[in-house]
Short mmCIF file of all heavy atoms in Angstrom, two decimals:
data_model
loop_
_atom_site.label_atom_id
_atom_site.label_comp_id
_atom_site.label_asym_id
_atom_site.label_seq_id
_atom_site.Cartn_x
_atom_site.Cartn_y
_atom_site.Cartn_z
N PRO A 133 6.55 -2.07 -54.59
CA PRO A 133 5.68 -1.21 -55.38
C PRO A 133 5.03 -0.10 -54.55
O PRO A 133 4.82 0.99 -55.07
CB PRO A 133 4.61 -2.16 -55.94
CG PRO A 133 4.89 -3.50 -55.39
CD PRO A 133 6.17 -3.48 -54.64
N SER A 134 4.70 -0.36 -53.29
CA SER A 134 4.09 0.72 -52.50
C SER A 134 4.82 0.90 -51.18
O SER A 134 5.46 -0.02 -50.69
CB SER A 134 2.61 0.41 -52.24
OG SER A 134 2.50 -0.48 -51.15
N ASN A 135 4.71 2.11 -50.61
CA ASN A 135 5.32 2.40 -49.32
C ASN A 135 4.82 1.46 -48.24
O ASN A 135 5.55 1.08 -47.34
CB ASN A 135 4.99 3.83 -48.90
CG ASN A 135 5.91 4.81 -49.59
OD1 ASN A 135 6.80 4.41 -50.33
ND2 ASN A 135 5.67 6.09 -49.34
N GLU A 136 3.52 1.14 -48.35
CA GLU A 136 2.89 0.29 -47.37
C GLU A 136 3.65 -1.02 -47.21
O GLU A 136 4.01 -1.44 -46.11
CB GLU A 136 1.45 0.01 -47.84
CG GLU A 136 0.55 -0.54 -46.78
CD GLU A 136 0.47 0.35 -45.56
OE1 GLU A 136 0.46 1.59 -45.73
OE2 GLU A 136 0.44 -0.20 -44.46
N GLN A 137 3.92 -1.67 -48.35
CA GLN A 137 4.64 -2.95 -48.31
C GLN A 137 6.06 -2.75 -47.79
O GLN A 137 6.59 -3.61 -47.09
CB GLN A 137 4.64 -3.58 -49.70
CG GLN A 137 3.26 -4.03 -50.11
CD GLN A 137 3.04 -3.95 -51.61
OE1 GLN A 137 3.93 -3.49 -52.35
NE2 GLN A 137 1.88 -4.38 -52.05
N GLY A 138 6.65 -1.60 -48.17
CA GLY A 138 8.00 -1.30 -47.69
C GLY A 138 8.05 -1.23 -46.17
O GLY A 138 8.96 -1.79 -45.54
N ILE A 139 7.07 -0.58 -45.57
CA ILE A 139 7.04 -0.44 -44.11
C ILE A 139 6.86 -1.81 -43.45
O ILE A 139 7.54 -2.14 -42.48
CB ILE A 139 5.91 0.51 -43.68
CG1 ILE A 139 6.20 1.93 -44.19
CG2 ILE A 139 5.77 0.53 -42.16
CD1 ILE A 139 5.10 2.92 -43.91
N VAL A 140 5.97 -2.62 -44.01
CA VAL A 140 5.76 -3.96 -43.46
C VAL A 140 7.06 -4.77 -43.56
O VAL A 140 7.45 -5.48 -42.65
CB VAL A 140 4.60 -4.68 -44.18
CG1 VAL A 140 4.54 -6.15 -43.77
CG2 VAL A 140 3.28 -4.00 -43.85
N PHE A 141 7.76 -4.58 -44.70
CA PHE A 141 9.02 -5.30 -44.90
C PHE A 141 10.05 -4.90 -43.83
O PHE A 141 10.73 -5.76 -43.26
CB PHE A 141 9.55 -5.01 -46.30
CG PHE A 141 10.93 -5.58 -46.54
CD1 PHE A 141 11.11 -6.95 -46.69
CD2 PHE A 141 12.04 -4.75 -46.62
CE1 PHE A 141 12.38 -7.48 -46.91
CE2 PHE A 141 13.30 -5.27 -46.84
CZ PHE A 141 13.47 -6.64 -46.99
N ILE A 142 10.16 -3.60 -43.57
CA ILE A 142 11.11 -3.13 -42.56
C ILE A 142 10.76 -3.71 -41.19
O ILE A 142 11.63 -4.16 -40.44
CB ILE A 142 11.07 -1.58 -42.48
CG1 ILE A 142 11.61 -0.97 -43.79
CG2 ILE A 142 11.84 -1.06 -41.29
CD1 ILE A 142 13.03 -1.30 -44.10
N THR A 143 9.47 -3.73 -40.87
CA THR A 143 9.02 -4.30 -39.60
C THR A 143 9.36 -5.78 -39.52
O THR A 143 9.86 -6.27 -38.51
CB THR A 143 7.49 -4.13 -39.48
OG1 THR A 143 7.15 -2.81 -39.85
CG2 THR A 143 7.03 -4.41 -38.07
N PHE A 144 9.10 -6.46 -40.62
CA PHE A 144 9.41 -7.88 -40.71
C PHE A 144 10.90 -8.12 -40.44
O PHE A 144 11.29 -8.93 -39.61
CB PHE A 144 9.04 -8.39 -42.10
CG PHE A 144 9.69 -9.70 -42.47
CD1 PHE A 144 9.14 -10.89 -42.04
CD2 PHE A 144 10.84 -9.72 -43.24
CE1 PHE A 144 9.75 -12.10 -42.36
CE2 PHE A 144 11.45 -10.91 -43.57
CZ PHE A 144 10.91 -12.11 -43.13
N LEU A 145 11.71 -7.36 -41.14
CA LEU A 145 13.17 -7.53 -41.04
C LEU A 145 13.66 -7.29 -39.62
O LEU A 145 14.50 -8.01 -39.09
CB LEU A 145 13.83 -6.54 -42.00
CG LEU A 145 15.10 -7.00 -42.70
CD1 LEU A 145 14.84 -8.29 -43.45
CD2 LEU A 145 15.55 -5.91 -43.66
N ALA A 146 13.08 -6.25 -39.00
CA ALA A 146 13.51 -5.89 -37.65
C ALA A 146 13.24 -7.03 -36.68
O ALA A 146 14.09 -7.37 -35.85
CB ALA A 146 12.78 -4.63 -37.19
N ALA A 147 12.05 -7.63 -36.78
CA ALA A 147 11.68 -8.68 -35.83
C ALA A 147 12.30 -10.03 -36.21
O ALA A 147 12.53 -10.87 -35.34
CB ALA A 147 10.15 -8.80 -35.77
N PHE A 148 12.57 -10.21 -37.49
CA PHE A 148 13.02 -11.51 -37.98
C PHE A 148 14.33 -11.98 -37.33
O PHE A 148 14.43 -13.11 -36.85
CB PHE A 148 13.17 -11.44 -39.50
CG PHE A 148 13.82 -12.64 -40.12
CD1 PHE A 148 13.14 -13.85 -40.19
CD2 PHE A 148 15.11 -12.57 -40.62
CE1 PHE A 148 13.74 -14.97 -40.75
CE2 PHE A 148 15.72 -13.68 -41.20
CZ PHE A 148 15.03 -14.87 -41.26
N PHE A 149 15.32 -11.11 -37.28
CA PHE A 149 16.64 -11.57 -36.82
C PHE A 149 16.68 -11.98 -35.35
O PHE A 149 17.21 -13.05 -35.04
CB PHE A 149 17.72 -10.54 -37.18
CG PHE A 149 18.09 -10.60 -38.64
CD1 PHE A 149 17.75 -9.58 -39.51
CD2 PHE A 149 18.72 -11.72 -39.15
CE1 PHE A 149 18.06 -9.66 -40.86
CE2 PHE A 149 19.04 -11.81 -40.50
CZ PHE A 149 18.71 -10.78 -41.35
N PRO A 150 16.12 -11.18 -34.45
CA PRO A 150 16.12 -11.68 -33.06
C PRO A 150 15.39 -13.01 -32.91
O PRO A 150 15.82 -13.87 -32.14
CB PRO A 150 15.40 -10.59 -32.27
CG PRO A 150 15.22 -9.45 -33.18
CD PRO A 150 15.60 -9.82 -34.56
N ILE A 151 14.28 -13.18 -33.66
CA ILE A 151 13.52 -14.43 -33.54
C ILE A 151 14.35 -15.59 -34.10
O ILE A 151 14.44 -16.66 -33.50
CB ILE A 151 12.17 -14.31 -34.26
CG1 ILE A 151 11.33 -13.20 -33.59
CG2 ILE A 151 11.41 -15.63 -34.22
CD1 ILE A 151 10.05 -12.87 -34.33
N LEU A 152 14.97 -15.35 -35.25
CA LEU A 152 15.79 -16.39 -35.87
C LEU A 152 16.92 -16.82 -34.94
O LEU A 152 17.13 -18.00 -34.69
CB LEU A 152 16.39 -15.85 -37.18
CG LEU A 152 17.49 -16.72 -37.81
CD1 LEU A 152 16.89 -17.96 -38.44
CD2 LEU A 152 18.28 -15.93 -38.85
N VAL A 153 17.63 -15.84 -34.40
CA VAL A 153 18.81 -16.15 -33.58
C VAL A 153 18.41 -16.88 -32.30
O VAL A 153 19.02 -17.89 -31.94
CB VAL A 153 19.59 -14.85 -33.26
CG1 VAL A 153 20.67 -15.11 -32.24
CG2 VAL A 153 20.19 -14.28 -34.53
N SER A 154 17.35 -16.41 -31.64
CA SER A 154 16.92 -17.09 -30.41
C SER A 154 16.44 -18.50 -30.69
O SER A 154 16.71 -19.41 -29.91
CB SER A 154 15.76 -16.35 -29.75
OG SER A 154 16.12 -15.06 -29.48
N THR A 155 15.69 -18.67 -31.78
CA THR A 155 15.18 -19.99 -32.10
C THR A 155 16.34 -20.94 -32.40
O THR A 155 16.38 -22.05 -31.87
CB THR A 155 14.24 -19.93 -33.32
OG1 THR A 155 13.20 -19.00 -33.04
CG2 THR A 155 13.65 -21.29 -33.62
N ARG A 156 17.27 -20.49 -33.21
CA ARG A 156 18.40 -21.34 -33.56
C ARG A 156 19.16 -21.75 -32.30
O ARG A 156 19.50 -22.91 -32.12
CB ARG A 156 19.34 -20.59 -34.52
CG ARG A 156 20.50 -21.45 -34.98
CD ARG A 156 21.42 -20.67 -35.89
NE ARG A 156 21.96 -19.50 -35.20
CZ ARG A 156 22.57 -18.49 -35.82
NH1 ARG A 156 22.69 -18.48 -37.12
NH2 ARG A 156 23.04 -17.46 -35.12
N HIS A 157 19.39 -20.77 -31.44
CA HIS A 157 20.12 -21.09 -30.21
C HIS A 157 19.35 -22.07 -29.34
O HIS A 157 19.90 -23.05 -28.82
CB HIS A 157 20.43 -19.82 -29.43
CG HIS A 157 21.15 -20.08 -28.17
ND1 HIS A 157 20.53 -20.07 -26.95
CD2 HIS A 157 22.43 -20.43 -27.95
CE1 HIS A 157 21.41 -20.39 -26.01
NE2 HIS A 157 22.57 -20.60 -26.59
N ALA A 158 18.04 -21.84 -29.22
CA ALA A 158 17.22 -22.73 -28.38
C ALA A 158 17.23 -24.15 -28.93
O ALA A 158 17.29 -25.12 -28.18
CB ALA A 158 15.79 -22.20 -28.30
N VAL A 159 17.20 -24.26 -30.26
CA VAL A 159 17.15 -25.59 -30.88
C VAL A 159 18.48 -26.32 -30.68
O VAL A 159 18.51 -27.50 -30.33
CB VAL A 159 16.79 -25.49 -32.37
CG1 VAL A 159 17.04 -26.80 -33.09
CG2 VAL A 159 15.34 -25.07 -32.52
N THR A 160 19.60 -25.62 -30.87
CA THR A 160 20.89 -26.31 -30.73
C THR A 160 21.18 -26.63 -29.27
O THR A 160 21.93 -27.55 -28.98
CB THR A 160 22.05 -25.49 -31.31
OG1 THR A 160 21.99 -24.18 -30.75
CG2 THR A 160 21.97 -25.38 -32.81
N ALA A 161 20.57 -25.87 -28.34
CA ALA A 161 20.85 -26.10 -26.92
C ALA A 161 19.94 -27.16 -26.30
O ALA A 161 20.07 -27.47 -25.13
CB ALA A 161 20.71 -24.79 -26.14
N LEU A 162 19.03 -27.75 -27.10
CA LEU A 162 18.11 -28.75 -26.55
C LEU A 162 18.89 -29.97 -26.07
O LEU A 162 19.76 -30.47 -26.78
CB LEU A 162 17.14 -29.22 -27.63
CG LEU A 162 15.90 -28.41 -27.90
CD1 LEU A 162 15.09 -29.09 -29.01
CD2 LEU A 162 15.05 -28.30 -26.65
N PRO A 163 18.59 -30.49 -24.87
CA PRO A 163 19.24 -31.72 -24.43
C PRO A 163 18.89 -32.87 -25.40
O PRO A 163 17.73 -33.00 -25.79
CB PRO A 163 18.60 -31.99 -23.07
CG PRO A 163 18.00 -30.71 -22.63
CD PRO A 163 17.66 -29.96 -23.88
N VAL A 164 19.88 -33.66 -25.79
CA VAL A 164 19.62 -34.72 -26.78
C VAL A 164 18.75 -35.84 -26.20
O VAL A 164 18.11 -36.57 -26.95
CB VAL A 164 20.91 -35.34 -27.34
CG1 VAL A 164 21.63 -34.38 -28.24
CG2 VAL A 164 21.81 -35.83 -26.23
N VAL A 165 18.72 -35.94 -24.86
CA VAL A 165 18.02 -37.07 -24.26
C VAL A 165 16.53 -37.10 -24.64
O VAL A 165 15.97 -38.17 -24.86
CB VAL A 165 18.22 -37.10 -22.72
CG1 VAL A 165 17.76 -35.83 -22.09
CG2 VAL A 165 17.53 -38.28 -22.10
N TRP A 166 15.91 -35.94 -24.81
CA TRP A 166 14.49 -35.92 -25.17
C TRP A 166 14.27 -36.52 -26.55
O TRP A 166 13.36 -37.31 -26.78
CB TRP A 166 13.93 -34.49 -25.11
CG TRP A 166 13.97 -33.89 -23.75
CD1 TRP A 166 13.96 -34.57 -22.56
CD2 TRP A 166 14.03 -32.51 -23.41
NE1 TRP A 166 14.00 -33.67 -21.52
CE2 TRP A 166 14.05 -32.42 -22.00
CE3 TRP A 166 14.06 -31.34 -24.17
CZ2 TRP A 166 14.09 -31.20 -21.34
CZ3 TRP A 166 14.10 -30.13 -23.50
CH2 TRP A 166 14.12 -30.06 -22.10
N GLU A 167 15.12 -36.12 -27.48
CA GLU A 167 15.00 -36.65 -28.84
C GLU A 167 15.26 -38.15 -28.84
O GLU A 167 14.55 -38.92 -29.49
CB GLU A 167 15.98 -35.94 -29.77
CG GLU A 167 16.01 -36.58 -31.14
CD GLU A 167 16.84 -35.82 -32.15
OE1 GLU A 167 17.38 -34.75 -31.82
OE2 GLU A 167 16.95 -36.32 -33.28
N GLU A 168 16.27 -38.57 -28.08
CA GLU A 168 16.61 -40.00 -28.05
C GLU A 168 15.47 -40.81 -27.44
O GLU A 168 15.18 -41.92 -27.89
CB GLU A 168 17.90 -40.22 -27.26
CG GLU A 168 19.10 -39.66 -28.00
CD GLU A 168 20.41 -39.84 -27.26
OE1 GLU A 168 20.38 -40.21 -26.06
OE2 GLU A 168 21.45 -39.61 -27.87
N ALA A 169 14.82 -40.23 -26.42
CA ALA A 169 13.69 -40.93 -25.81
C ALA A 169 12.60 -41.16 -26.85
O ALA A 169 12.08 -42.27 -26.99
CB ALA A 169 13.15 -40.11 -24.63
N VAL A 170 12.27 -40.12 -27.61
CA VAL A 170 11.20 -40.24 -28.60
C VAL A 170 11.62 -41.20 -29.72
O VAL A 170 10.82 -42.00 -30.20
CB VAL A 170 10.81 -38.85 -29.14
CG1 VAL A 170 9.90 -38.98 -30.34
CG2 VAL A 170 10.13 -38.05 -28.04
N ARG A 171 12.90 -41.15 -30.11
CA ARG A 171 13.36 -42.07 -31.17
C ARG A 171 13.27 -43.52 -30.72
O ARG A 171 12.87 -44.38 -31.50
CB ARG A 171 14.79 -41.73 -31.55
CG ARG A 171 14.89 -40.44 -32.33
CD ARG A 171 15.81 -40.62 -33.54
NE ARG A 171 15.90 -39.38 -34.29
CZ ARG A 171 15.27 -39.18 -35.44
NH1 ARG A 171 14.53 -40.13 -35.96
NH2 ARG A 171 15.39 -38.03 -36.07
N THR A 172 13.64 -43.79 -29.45
CA THR A 172 13.58 -45.18 -29.01
C THR A 172 12.16 -45.63 -28.69
O THR A 172 11.93 -46.77 -28.32
CB THR A 172 14.49 -45.45 -27.78
OG1 THR A 172 14.11 -44.57 -26.74
CG2 THR A 172 15.94 -45.23 -28.13
N MET A 173 11.20 -44.72 -28.81
CA MET A 173 9.79 -45.13 -28.76
C MET A 173 9.30 -45.40 -30.17
O MET A 173 8.11 -45.64 -30.38
CB MET A 173 8.92 -44.02 -28.16
CG MET A 173 9.10 -43.78 -26.70
SD MET A 173 8.11 -42.33 -26.27
CE MET A 173 9.08 -41.69 -24.94
N GLY A 174 10.19 -45.28 -31.14
CA GLY A 174 9.80 -45.50 -32.52
C GLY A 174 9.33 -44.23 -33.20
O GLY A 174 8.73 -44.30 -34.27
N GLY A 175 9.58 -43.07 -32.60
CA GLY A 175 9.13 -41.81 -33.18
C GLY A 175 9.92 -41.42 -34.43
O GLY A 175 11.12 -41.64 -34.50
N SER A 176 9.23 -40.84 -35.41
CA SER A 176 9.86 -40.42 -36.66
C SER A 176 10.49 -39.03 -36.49
O SER A 176 10.31 -38.40 -35.46
CB SER A 176 8.80 -40.34 -37.75
OG SER A 176 7.82 -39.37 -37.36
N GLY A 177 11.19 -38.60 -37.52
CA GLY A 177 11.77 -37.26 -37.50
C GLY A 177 10.71 -36.19 -37.32
O GLY A 177 10.91 -35.21 -36.60
N ARG A 178 9.57 -36.40 -37.96
CA ARG A 178 8.50 -35.42 -37.85
C ARG A 178 7.95 -35.38 -36.42
O ARG A 178 7.66 -34.33 -35.86
CB ARG A 178 7.39 -35.78 -38.82
CG ARG A 178 6.31 -34.74 -38.87
CD ARG A 178 5.13 -35.21 -39.66
NE ARG A 178 5.42 -35.24 -41.10
CZ ARG A 178 4.49 -35.48 -42.01
NH1 ARG A 178 3.25 -35.70 -41.64
NH2 ARG A 178 4.80 -35.49 -43.28
N ARG A 179 7.84 -36.54 -35.80
CA ARG A 179 7.39 -36.62 -34.42
C ARG A 179 8.36 -35.89 -33.50
O ARG A 179 7.97 -35.16 -32.60
CB ARG A 179 7.26 -38.11 -34.04
CG ARG A 179 7.06 -38.36 -32.57
CD ARG A 179 5.75 -37.82 -32.06
NE ARG A 179 4.61 -38.58 -32.54
CZ ARG A 179 3.36 -38.38 -32.09
NH1 ARG A 179 3.11 -37.47 -31.18
NH2 ARG A 179 2.37 -39.11 -32.58
N VAL A 180 9.66 -36.09 -33.75
CA VAL A 180 10.68 -35.41 -32.94
C VAL A 180 10.51 -33.89 -33.09
O VAL A 180 10.54 -33.14 -32.11
CB VAL A 180 12.10 -35.84 -33.35
CG1 VAL A 180 13.16 -34.94 -32.71
CG2 VAL A 180 12.34 -37.30 -32.97
N LEU A 181 10.28 -33.44 -34.32
CA LEU A 181 10.10 -32.01 -34.57
C LEU A 181 8.92 -31.45 -33.78
O LEU A 181 9.04 -30.45 -33.07
CB LEU A 181 9.90 -31.78 -36.06
CG LEU A 181 9.69 -30.33 -36.48
CD1 LEU A 181 10.94 -29.51 -36.21
CD2 LEU A 181 9.30 -30.23 -37.94
N TRP A 182 7.77 -32.11 -33.87
CA TRP A 182 6.56 -31.56 -33.26
C TRP A 182 6.47 -31.83 -31.76
O TRP A 182 5.91 -31.02 -31.02
CB TRP A 182 5.30 -32.11 -33.94
CG TRP A 182 5.13 -31.51 -35.29
CD1 TRP A 182 5.41 -32.10 -36.49
CD2 TRP A 182 4.70 -30.17 -35.59
NE1 TRP A 182 5.18 -31.22 -37.51
CE2 TRP A 182 4.73 -30.03 -37.01
CE3 TRP A 182 4.29 -29.07 -34.82
CZ2 TRP A 182 4.38 -28.84 -37.65
CZ3 TRP A 182 3.93 -27.90 -35.47
CH2 TRP A 182 3.98 -27.80 -36.87
#
Side-chain angles (χ1 to χ4, degrees):
Chain A
S134 81
N135 279 358
E136 196 56 38
Q137 292 149 357
I139 295 175
V140 170
F141 173 72
I142 293 298
T143 314
F144 162 82
L145 215 55
F148 171 72
F149 283 110
I151 298 172
L152 169 74
V153 171
S154 303
T155 304
R156 183 182 59 195
H157 179 258
V159 167
T160 52
L162 276 180
V164 289
V165 57
W166 297 335
E167 173 173 357
E168 291 180 348
V170 170
R171 288 226 180 256
T172 57
M173 289 174 210
S176 61
R178 186 189 288 188
R179 169 65 71 172
V180 169
L181 180 66
W182 287 103

